Amino acid sequence: MEFRILGPLEIVADGRPVSAGGPQQQAVLAALLLAANQVVPIDRLVDAVWWTSPPSARANVRGYIAALRRMLRSAGEPADRLVTRSPGYLLRVEPGELDLFRFEESFARGEKALLAGRAEQAAQDFAEALRHGRGRPLEAMPLGAPLQADVERLEERRLLLMEQYTDACLLLGRSDALVPDLRRLVARHPLRERLWERLMLVLYRMGRSADALDAYAQVRRHLADDLGIDPGPRLRSLERRILSGDPALDTAPHGGGEEAGRPADATSGHTHSRTGTLRQFPMDIVEFTGREAELRALNRLADGAGGHGDTALTVIAIEGMPGAGKTRLAVRAAHQISSRGRFGAVQLWADLRAMDPEVPAADPAEVLETFLRQLGVPAARIPPDLESRAALYRDRLHGRRALVILDNATDEAQVEPLLPGDPTGLVLITSRRSLAGLDGVFRLRLSVFAPPESRDLLGRIAGRERVMADQAAAARIAERCGQLPMAVTMAARRLQTRPAWTPAEFAARLEDEERLPDELEFRNRSISASFDLSYRALTGDRQRMYRLLGLHPGADSTPASAAALTGLPLARAESALEDLLDENLLQQASPGRYRMHHLLRVHARRKAHEHETADERDAAAGRVLAWYLRAAHSADLVVNTHDHRIPLEIPDAGAAGTVPAFGARAEALAWLDAEAENFPAVIKAAHEHGRHSVAWRLAAVLLTFFRLGRSRDDWITAYEIGLGAARRADDWRGVAFMLSGLGMACNDADRFGDAIGHHREALAVQRRLGDLVGQAWSLNRLAVAYLGARRPSRAIECFEESVRIFRRVADPEGNAVAAPVLGAGDADGGHIRMRETVTCPAAVMIPAAVRTAHGGN
């Protein structure tokens, strides 16, 4: 049986055509053939058939599969030709049965022959590959998104084949017959400069200089009209050489021999690298967005490479977390640099496979063998050992402006043998890991997108009008993606292929933390899979640290809090954190504090649920929550000099890790300020984990810190959560303390009505408990709230009752606070006048604004 997809879809059995069914069934077959001998997930088959799939899509696909099986059986094919394999189906295709296979085999043979300098054989192989094409792949078929992308890829391969076939014919001096094909291709691809370059050269060698210059005028017009740019440096140079009648253009280089193993250059007549064979960079993408500052930095470094008197090779390492877009940036920068006419002679690219789960990391010796072959060294002359290969590689690049991309590097040892020796070269390395061990390397750390960059990328993929119509929803989508380029791309792809969704609806789907990673998947790409690669590369201790950091309640962590979380000694915890930092799985904005990207945190938490038992997760949470309470209490002992404290009543410090000790008030305040963002989250986590006593006590020990004005909103949030925790714990002493603290926070925010309500409720609880001292202080604070609400008579009543209770319990501090206030005022005219400023301890506050409003100091 023969399958043909390089043109209209055809099936031939025993010389007779076989019907593949209707258009949708043909699309399913085409998707199976494009991934022949591989499992194609049913979701990809759905996408291959419909741009917007109906509810019955999966059932329909199963129906098409059943019909294809019947068709194959009726043609005499065995039952295992099309089989079900989770998560989809596999179509078995034997060698020679698929025209795409034959095309690729001939193409590969031709490339190998041309690299070896055998132009005659290369031309024959390329011509055979071209004969397999009967038109545009899957011509006249309705194509879903994945099939459309596959067709574009095959078209790109066909164009590359035509370019290399032209090069082989130029070497042989018989390219005249290619003019009609080249004319047809430039008409279909008017912006592809490499095709125009070859057409111009062929026309010139035919003695048609005017036609060659006219071709240049056409491509210049296309580029100006469609892109607003001029032709690239190679085309401009070729035009100048045609105008000047450069004799080198008339030379038909020999193709049968070798000069030091290097095939001739078809466009110049020089005997170094052949046009096209050393242009190995992956294609740039139209959707590339942002990174303007990084691109400027890379271009500046490239411009300075190999400068006058410089003897050092320029090496740039682009590092960053998974999904930051390191490879895309390196490819875009390489294309920009080479388009300016620099580093054009040799362009090498290698995927070093640092994180590929299917195959081991690339052996530098094997990479060097590939590079040497591309540089024209015959296989028999490539040395067997790494050092000799590296020496020959450096020799081959000596004096040449080579631009090398080493993508996805594992470590310094893998990269070092692949670095040229000359300052005339430039190397771009991408890695998820820090390559700080490489000497003399410029390191560019790639962070996440700025919000405008994320918005632009969403618009480029999902449609600018659609995104701009609801910018708030687009901003929320980007925020839920953590501004991570890969995540934003996945979200944009989902929107692009789901035209019925509004951005607001999709943003709502992303709010569910548990479903978030699953929403950021698109066919065979997913955020979780990308993160998994980095996770699997970690050692056991580092994997556990990574997992448990997903359970850390705060926005960032320190070695001490991470030690408590994991139960590790402080030094080992810090070492693990530093290793995760080197792996770009953590970020560090200030020394000693580590932050995890939002999506990595979600991934880490999933790993914790997969690999840690419920008891282990609960124990980890208990340790870190207890540590925060102990540490905050340690700071409060230094900051709070009035000794109104709540007993901790939790296990000793040994169970909660290393608790910091503070020698000075400034040191304690600095720690509290650094942890301020974490406190509400820790209190909330304690409440949610059922550690209600820890929740309200942590809020209680932070009272002095909050009252110093560091964060009023956090104060109210923390005490509202603490109040709920105290109620859940049925701890009425805690309820009273939280209500009192909430009253003070509201008073500080000039929310006097709320303050009065909280203090009155606190007073009721303290009366129920028989807590006289607590009642006296609540009355004192209630009086202050009444003053703020301009209810002086009620304030006087509360102050009077407060003094009576303080005297009854013989509390000299409370009596000293309340008595002067009473002595300073009367109810005449509805105001309280104060003779002197009242100095309040930590538990009492009379705002200056209140005193001023009532005529006091």
Side-chain angles (χ1 to χ4, degrees):
M1 178 165 280
E2 184 180 356
F3 301 96
R4 301 169 184 167
I5 62 175
L6 299 181
L9 178 65
E10 294 180 356
I11 309 173
V12 177
D14 297 327
R16 299 188 308 277
V18 177
S19 172
Q24 293 174 332
Q25 185 170 307
Q26 289 182 38
V28 171
L29 176 59
L32 292 168
L33 288 169
L34 283 163
N37 301 318
Q38 302 176 53
V39 176
V40 182
I42 190 170
D43 288 340
R44 181 173 175 83
L45 295 176
V46 168
D47 290 340
V49 176
W50 296 279
W51 282 87
T52 302
S53 56
S56 61
R58 294 168 72 92
N60 290 350
V61 167
R62 294 188 183 97
Y64 300 142
I65 292 290
L68 288 172
R69 283 174 171 153
R70 288 193 297 272
M71 176 271 290
L72 291 169
R73 283 198 299 271
S74 66
E77 294 300 306
D80 65 348
R81 171 69 88 167
L82 177 55
V83 297
T84 301
R85 292 274 178 84
S86 180
Y89 302 94
L90 180 147
L91 178 64
R92 183 171 52 79
V93 177
E94 299 297 333
E97 288 186 329
L98 179 62
D99 58 353
L100 176 59
F101 285 174
R102 298 193 297 273
F103 169 87
E104 292 290 358
E105 288 168 2
S106 300
F107 194 170
R109 286 197 308 270
E111 286 191 305
K112 186 176 181 180
L114 198 55
L115 279 171
R118 293 181 283 111
E120 183 70 47
Q121 182 62 53
Q124 293 176 15
D125 291 328
F126 290 148
E128 181 181 344
L130 283 169
R131 282 193 291 272
H132 292 300
R134 297 170 292 110
R136 183 175 174 82
L138 302 177
E139 193 171 320
M141 272 184 60
L143 304 175
L147 292 186
Q148 185 69 49
D150 284 330
V151 165
E152 295 301 327
R153 177 179 59 81
L154 293 176
E155 278 286 275
E156 178 67 24
R157 292 287 291 164
R158 185 164 177 254
L159 291 174
L160 181 60
L161 168 63
M162 190 64 193
E163 290 166 2
Q164 298 202 33
Y165 180 40
T166 304
D167 292 341
C169 291
L170 284 165
L171 286 166
L172 296 168
R174 55 176 190 236
S175 54
D176 301 10
L178 298 178
V179 170
D181 286 334
L182 288 171
R183 289 281 193 193
R184 190 163 45 252
L185 287 172
V186 295
R188 289 180 57 183
H189 305 277
L191 304 180
R192 193 175 181 94
E193 295 186 41
R194 288 181 294 180
L195 284 174
W196 286 100
E197 179 185 346
R198 285 155 176 81
L199 175 60
M200 289 170 62
L201 187 58
V202 170
L203 289 169
Y204 179 79
R205 291 193 179 175
M206 292 172 65
R208 299 166 60 182
S209 299
D211 290 339
L213 292 172
D214 181 65
Y216 178 80
Q218 290 179 53
V219 65
R220 182 175 60 184
R221 196 160 48 246
H222 284 303
L223 292 169
D225 292 346
D226 294 351
L227 302 178
I229 62 174
D230 291 327
R234 290 178 61 87
L235 269 180
R236 295 198 303 271
S237 173
L238 182 55
E239 184 214 20
R240 288 193 299 269
R241 295 171 69 189
I242 290 173
L243 287 168
S244 65
D246 186 348
L249 294 178
D250 293 316
T251 305
H254 65 279
E258 289 183 1
E259 185 272 329
R262 301 176 187 174
D265 188 321
T267 65
S268 68
H270 297 190
T271 53
H272 56 73
S273 63
R274 178 188 57 80
T275 296
T277 60
L278 295 181
R279 307 286 195 281
Q280 300 297 321
F281 297 160
M283 71 173 186
D284 198 2
I285 57 171
V286 174
E287 295 162 354
F288 186 92
T289 303
R291 302 300 191 197
E292 295 300 327
E294 292 86 350
L295 284 168
R296 285 194 297 271
L298 291 169
N299 277 278
R300 280 197 304 270
L301 289 169
D303 289 341
H308 180 69
D310 193 354
T311 59
L313 173 71
T314 299
V315 182
I316 306 169
I318 303 172
E319 303 169 0
M321 67 175 288
K326 301 175 290 295
T327 298
R328 288 298 185 195
L329 175 63
V331 170
R332 168 57 63 97
H335 280 286
Q336 285 187 350
I337 293 164
S338 61
S339 71
R340 300 202 311 274
R342 305 200 66 193
F343 307 101
V346 179
Q347 299 172 3
L348 299 173
W349 175 84
D351 181 3
L352 303 185
R353 304 193 304 265
M355 301 292 173
D356 194 323
E358 303 298 331
V359 293
D363 183 342
E366 294 178 359
V367 176
L368 283 171
E369 180 179 4
T370 300
F371 280 173
L372 289 170
R373 285 177 178 271
Q374 291 170 345
L375 289 166
V377 179
R381 296 170 62 179
I382 296 177
D385 63 289
L386 175 63
E387 290 185 6
S388 298
R389 288 181 178 182
L392 181 56
Y393 168 69
R394 292 191 295 270
D395 175 72
R396 283 297 161 135
L397 293 182
H398 176 68
R400 306 177 73 178
R401 300 194 66 79
L403 177 50
V404 182
I405 297 180
L406 302 175
D407 190 32
N408 207 11
T410 303
D411 53 30
E412 294 86 346
Q414 185 190 39
V415 166
E416 283 173 341
L418 306 178
L419 300 179
D422 270 31
T424 54
L426 173 67
V427 180
L428 301 179
I429 307 171
T430 71
S431 179
R432 296 186 179 194
R433 294 179 171 135
S434 168
L435 298 178
L438 279 177
D439 293 332
V441 172
F442 296 96
R443 295 175 61 209
L444 177 65
R445 191 181 183 283
L446 208 56
S447 187
V448 296
F449 270 162
E453 292 177 310
S454 295
R455 182 195 60 221
D456 289 348
L457 181 57
L458 281 170
R460 280 178 179 266
I461 298 175
R464 191 168 303 280
E465 291 184 4
R466 189 178 179 193
V467 168
M468 295 303 289
D470 193 345
Q471 294 188 55
R476 185 56 182 158
I477 290 170
E479 182 182 337
R480 294 300 294 158
C481 292
Q483 314 294 347
L484 185 66
M486 182 180 179
V488 176
T489 301
M490 297 295 99
R493 295 280 183 226
R494 295 291 306 281
L495 271 179
Q496 182 189 41
T497 57
R498 301 294 186 273
W501 290 0
T502 67
E505 289 169 340
F506 186 44
R509 294 174 67 94
L510 298 180
E511 292 298 329
D512 187 337
E513 197 86 340
E514 297 305 316
R515 286 179 50 190
L516 180 59
D518 302 324
E519 294 289 345
L520 299 177
E521 293 186 0
F522 188 76
R523 298 198 178 98
N524 61 338
R525 298 183 68 196
S526 77
I527 289 295
S528 296
S530 179
F531 292 168
D532 280 343
L533 301 181
S534 290
Y535 173 75
R536 285 199 291 266
L538 300 174
T539 61
D541 282 351
R542 274 51 180 166
Q543 282 190 346
R544 182 169 178 270
M545 174 63 81
Y546 174 82
R547 292 195 300 266
L548 292 184
L549 284 176
L551 305 178
H552 193 287
D556 62 3
S557 57
T558 63
S561 67
L565 180 73
T566 58
L568 291 172
L570 182 61
R572 284 181 61 191
E574 183 173 22
S575 176
L577 291 171
E578 285 292 309
D579 286 348
L580 293 178
L581 185 65
D582 287 338
E583 295 286 334
N584 280 302
L585 295 174
L586 292 178
Q587 304 158 11
Q588 190 171 60
S590 59
R593 304 200 70 85
Y594 304 84
R595 188 176 291 261
M596 182 176 272
H597 186 275
H598 169 63
L599 292 178
L600 281 173
R601 181 187 290 272
V602 174
H603 179 262
R605 187 161 59 246
R606 277 194 169 187
K607 291 300 176 185
H609 280 266
E610 290 174 11
H611 299 284
E612 309 283 339
T613 66
D615 288 343
E616 289 169 338
R617 297 195 303 271
D618 186 66
R623 287 191 300 267
V624 73
L625 294 171
W627 179 86
Y628 268 103
L629 178 54
R630 286 283 179 186
H633 181 257
S634 177
D636 187 55
L637 290 175
V638 179
V639 173
N640 179 6
T641 59
H642 298 281
D643 202 30
H644 291 278
R645 301 189 181 94
I646 296 295
L648 294 185
E649 299 178 6
I650 62 171
D652 62 29
T658 303
V659 174
F662 304 101
R665 194 168 191 266
E667 183 184 355
L669 283 173
W671 181 85
L672 289 165
D673 282 332
E675 293 286 351
E677 184 183 1
N678 291 333
F679 289 137
V682 173
I683 293 168
K684 180 182 178 182
H687 185 24
E688 291 174 345
H689 278 84
R691 288 172 167 77
H692 307 301
S693 177
V694 172
W696 79 258
R697 282 182 167 83
L698 178 54
V701 300
L702 292 171
L703 180 62
T704 301
F705 171 68
F706 286 141
R707 293 207 47 231
L708 290 172
R710 293 307 205 264
S711 176
R712 183 187 299 148
D713 291 341
D714 286 348
W715 181 1
I716 293 175
T717 299
Y719 268 66
E720 286 176 343
I721 297 170
L723 176 60
R727 292 189 192 279
R728 286 289 302 274
D730 201 28
D731 190 326
W732 289 99
R733 180 181 53 166
V735 170
F737 201 99
M738 293 296 99
L739 286 167
S740 184
L742 267 176
M744 286 187 280
C746 291
N747 210 58
D748 188 56
D750 292 340
R751 291 165 47 184
F752 301 115
D754 292 336
I756 290 169
H758 292 314
H759 285 311
R760 290 182 64 174
E761 190 176 354
L763 181 61
V765 172
Q766 287 153 346
R767 284 172 174 164
R768 175 183 171 185
L769 294 173
D771 179 2
L772 292 175
V773 173
Q775 293 173 43
W777 283 109
S778 285
L779 286 163
N780 188 292
R781 294 161 187 154
L782 183 56
V784 173
Y786 277 130
L787 282 177
R790 297 183 180 277
R791 299 169 66 181
S793 58
R794 295 302 306 271
I796 290 174
E797 293 173 6
C798 291
F799 276 129
E800 288 174 340
E801 187 175 357
S802 174
V803 168
R804 286 195 296 271
I805 296 176
F806 277 132
R807 287 172 177 168
R808 178 180 170 187
V809 298
D811 186 325
E813 183 182 0
N815 190 55
V817 170
V821 175
L822 283 175
D826 59 48
D828 182 36
H831 296 282
I832 289 182
R833 294 188 299 275
M834 300 183 182
R835 287 195 303 256
E836 57 186 284
T837 299
V838 179
T839 302
C840 301
V844 181
M845 175 176 59
I846 301 179
V850 174
R851 294 199 299 270
T852 302
H854 293 283
N857 296 318

